[in-house]
Amino acid sequence: MDDSTTAAEETRNRKRARLTSSAGDVVDRISSLNDDVLLHVLELVGDVRDVVRTTSALSRRWRNLWKRVPALSFASRSVWEATVVEDYAALTRYVSSVNDVLVLRSQSAGCAIERLAISIVYHVFTRH
């Protein structure tokens, strides 16, 4: 280590070296875990929308794993009084998205749902 390299830079360089292959490619150690571990990690994410976003943002290996997560949780955004057209449309989109995910899951062989939670937060105000 020369005078121009700080201890923090040297530590970063050592970490970076451990995370790259001899060809200089970044090593994806998480994706090398077995599917059961990855599915457990995805199960901890929570809401299905976040799980799908997470798997889409990560490596190709993760892309379709969300279809095999054993516990699905759907949590709606807060929906106000459904007599208002926009709120009814939001509720309709939410129900449609839940249906779409369940249809995709039903088309995936061997992907049983062990736990399913669907919640809708709905507010009704009385007018005086």
Side-chain angles (χ1 to χ4, degrees):
M1 178 165 77
D2 63 10
D3 294 337
S4 64
T5 306
T6 66
E9 288 172 329
E10 187 65 27
T11 302
R12 275 194 305 273
N13 290 338
R14 270 189 253 121
K15 285 182 183 177
R16 194 173 297 125
R18 282 189 304 232
L19 296 176
T20 57
S21 69
S22 59
D25 299 324
V26 174
V27 176
D28 182 1
R29 294 176 194 253
I30 293 174
S31 290
S32 66
L33 297 171
N34 78 29
D35 283 0
D36 291 336
V37 174
L38 296 177
L39 290 170
H40 182 67
V41 169
L42 291 173
E43 189 175 347
L44 297 173
V45 170
D47 188 72
V48 170
R49 288 171 293 201
D50 296 331
V51 172
V52 172
R53 277 189 219 115
T54 300
T55 58
S56 296
L58 298 173
S59 74
R60 284 193 175 123
R61 182 174 176 317
W62 288 65
R63 282 226 174 103
N64 289 313
L65 276 178
W66 73 268
K67 294 179 185 175
R68 294 179 39 216
V69 175
L72 296 179
S73 175
F74 297 89
S76 75
R77 306 281 191 262
S78 189
V79 178
W80 300 97
E81 190 173 312
T83 57
V84 177
V85 173
E86 297 86 16
D87 296 331
Y88 182 75
L91 183 59
T92 302
R93 282 191 307 275
Y94 172 70
V95 170
S96 178
S97 67
V98 171
N99 283 335
D100 292 346
V101 168
L102 294 177
V103 165
L104 282 172
R105 283 297 295 261
S106 71
Q107 295 169 348
S108 299
C111 298
I113 298 172
E114 295 174 11
R115 289 182 311 281
L116 176 63
I118 302 173
S119 63
I120 298 174
V121 178
Y122 185 75
H123 303 279
V124 176
F125 291 98
T126 58
R127 292 189 174 93
H128 300 273

